[in-house]
Amino acid sequence: LPLIEKSNRKVILNVSSAAGSIGSIEQLGASGKFPTYAMSKAALNMLVSFLSYPLVCQPGLKMTGFQTVKQKGARPDLIAITLCPGHVKTGTVQVTSYSRSVTNELLHVPTDMGGPNGALEPEESVAGILKVVTEATSADSGKYLRYNGETIPW
């Protein structure tokens, strides 16, 4: 946060995925192919949602962990959003061995998580992300957005 504090625009962008949208599970369907990935993104989305609202604190209560995070109510100049970059063509995914102490199998990397089968060129995704970030206001803090600015259901 120290570098964000020095900035004129204080925006925290958390890169998530539509796969973390519990509200879109029926539409996405494919999330069942990579549940741990979807769960990790849902957890990130929850964190951003949590951090965007004022923290209720009783007098004398010692806060831990998030005490340095500036909350929406106290700091409207701090914008925290979570964003899905889209299904981006990211090139060939290199599959490597996970850990011999855990498993001798290769990691399964789903082909529908980008790679050469992605629907978007990286330039289109990045242009959209930059537009969303540069146009974000305090009213957008805590939102879950696509690279094109559309709202994603939690």
Side-chain angles (χ1 to χ4, degrees), residues 44-74:
L44 171 65
N45 299 344
M46 183 62 178
L47 176 65
V48 173
S49 180
F50 171 76
L51 295 179
S52 70
Y53 291 97
L55 191 60
V56 179
C57 185
Q58 299 173 359
L61 179 66
K62 183 174 179 169
M63 294 173 51
T64 59
F66 299 115
Q67 65 191 53
T68 60
V69 176
K70 310 303 182 203
Q71 300 296 318
K72 187 174 185 177

Side-chain angles (χ1 to χ4, degrees), residues 101-151:
S101 63
V102 176
T103 180
N104 288 326
E105 298 178 15
L106 294 179
L107 279 177
H108 170 68
V109 179
T111 57
D112 52 353
M113 290 182 64
N117 299 322
L120 291 171
E121 294 297 330
E123 297 82 6
E124 182 180 358
S125 175
V126 170
I129 292 167
L130 290 173
K131 185 176 189 314
V132 169
V133 171
T134 57
E135 294 179 0
T137 68
S138 60
D140 296 313
S141 194
K143 288 187 177 179
Y144 183 14
L145 305 169
R146 294 188 199 287
Y147 72 98
N148 61 5
E150 294 175 356
T151 300

Side-chain angles (χ1 to χ4, degrees), residues 7-55:
S7 175
N8 291 334
R9 281 189 39 86
K10 297 164 178 48
V11 181
I12 300 171
L13 172 64
N14 298 279
V15 179
S16 186
S17 168
S21 169
I22 295 170
S24 298
I25 193 72
E26 287 183 23
Q27 176 188 357
L28 293 173
S31 294
K33 294 180 185 175
F34 40 95
T36 53
Y37 176 80
M39 289 186 306
S40 72
K41 294 304 182 177
L44 171 65
N45 299 344
M46 183 62 178
L47 176 65
V48 173
S49 180
F50 171 76
L51 295 179
S52 70
Y53 291 97
L55 191 60

